[in-house]
Amino acid sequence: MALQSTTTTATTEIIGAGRIGSLLAEAGECVVLGREDSIDPNGTGPILIATRNDALAPIVDLCPANRKDDLVFLQNGYLDNFLEQYGLLENTQALLFFSVTAKGVAPVDGITTVNPEGLTTVTGRHGTALAARLQQLGLKCNVVSAADYRPAMFEKLIWISTMMLVGTAKQCATVGQADQDYTNIVAAVVQELVSSVSATEGITFAPGTLERLRAYTTVVADFPCGVKEFEWRNEYFYKLQTASGEEACPTHNSLLRDCAAQGLLGFELP
């Protein structure tokens, strides 16, 4: 059953009552839905999907056709293939650069020495509404064009794919430990992934990607390491090839194979 927030008439629907969904609901004026709850076909506001990636397909399938444009995707990872499959590439997407360690715990915003304006970024028709909700929660959010969103999206993908992988391969407890103890490996993987994305996607990254990502790591240094949701994260880089058909990310892929050989992955590499 949907849970009504304690404030006034709901215009925003939030799917998911975990760490992120519960936090977003604290701003009020919303209805919190379970994954299988019905979305209001007569609604007009944003539908914030605060679930894991593997829940996306059934949520989209259950969404009324006239409300699909209101779906807002907050997930980590490479969503392009999924969104293209459902005709939702123009939908609102957000990169949440803040951490919530447990449900009900205050969030730690991604404000760094390199990016004091914060790193959380959103694009799309409901971008301003999401930014306003986050502002009510004391979190910063940058509303950008679709073109400016692309490099930011890939930087977030590079961060989570690199830090989780290096940390797992070297059996680090946290991303902070991975960055501090294996600085050179982190730098090598980040540079490799930036170069590969630039060549594949035609994206130009602003100078200082490594510095931006390392500064963010400092903010969330206690975040635990683990290679998860492979098909949404590291698989994008694992499958990239050069024009000559060779692996585009050999350092990244070698670390993945090391993890597999050590039994540190919960899945089989393709």
Side-chain angles (χ1 to χ4, degrees):
M1 179 180 294
L3 302 174
Q4 181 75 41
S5 72
T6 57
T7 53
T8 56
T9 304
T11 57
T12 295
E13 292 165 271
I14 300 172
I15 302 176
R19 293 174 296 138
I20 301 300
S22 297
L23 172 68
L24 294 172
E26 290 178 15
E29 297 189 358
C30 63
V31 168
V32 178
L33 304 173
R35 298 179 182 185
E36 298 180 358
D37 287 334
S38 298
I39 294 170
D40 182 4
N42 299 313
T44 58
I47 304 168
L48 309 180
I49 309 177
T51 67
R52 292 175 60 89
N53 299 52
D54 58 10
L56 289 176
I59 289 171
V60 173
D61 289 338
L62 289 172
C63 182
N66 66 309
R67 297 298 314 282
K68 281 185 165 59
D69 287 347
D70 291 321
L71 293 172
V72 177
F73 295 90
L74 309 176
Q75 288 68 30
N76 284 317
Y78 183 75
L79 302 182
D80 283 18
N81 293 339
F82 175 84
L83 296 176
E84 184 176 17
Q85 176 186 348
Y86 282 91
L88 302 174
L89 277 172
E90 302 300 317
N91 275 55
T92 304
Q93 298 179 59
L95 307 168
L96 303 182
F97 274 92
F98 56 81
S99 66
V100 183
T101 57
K103 188 174 178 179
V105 174
V108 177
D109 203 352
I111 299 171
T112 73
T113 55
V114 178
N115 293 97
E117 75 281 10
L119 288 164
T120 294
T121 303
V122 64
T123 189
R125 63 182 295 187
H126 290 304
T128 301
L130 177 61
R133 178 169 291 272
L134 292 175
Q135 184 177 17
Q136 285 181 274
L137 298 168
L139 298 168
K140 295 188 177 184
C141 181
N142 303 290
V143 182
V144 302
S145 67
D148 288 339
Y149 184 83
R150 293 290 288 171
M153 180 273 284
F154 276 108
E155 284 200 358
K156 180 74 182 291
L157 180 63
I158 288 168
W159 180 84
I160 200 165
S161 297
T162 299
M163 298 312 304
M164 297 297 154
L165 176 57
V166 173
T168 299
K170 301 304 179 182
Q171 300 191 43
C172 299
T174 65
V175 295
Q177 182 188 357
D179 186 45
Q180 182 175 1
D181 293 353
Y182 298 96
T183 303
N184 292 339
I185 298 177
V186 168
V189 175
V190 168
Q191 297 298 348
E192 179 178 83
L193 302 190
V194 167
S195 296
S196 298
V197 169
S198 297
T200 302
E201 304 286 345
I203 288 175
T204 300
F205 292 90
T209 294
L210 179 60
E211 290 73 20
R212 284 191 292 276
L213 299 186
R214 293 198 67 205
Y216 178 64
T217 302
T218 301
V219 173
V220 294
D222 293 334
F223 202 85
C225 297
V227 179
K228 304 175 181 178
E229 298 187 319
F230 174 74
E231 64 273 26
W232 300 94
R233 300 180 185 181
N234 295 79
E235 185 178 52
Y236 171 84
F237 302 109
Y238 189 72
K239 290 186 172 181
L240 282 186
Q241 294 185 337
T242 64
S244 60
E246 299 176 345
E247 289 184 338
C249 307
T251 305
H252 167 274
N253 292 0
S254 178
L255 286 169
L256 271 173
R257 295 188 186 103
D258 288 346
C259 289
Q262 296 177 70
L264 300 175
L265 302 179
F267 54 89
E268 296 289 333
L269 288 174

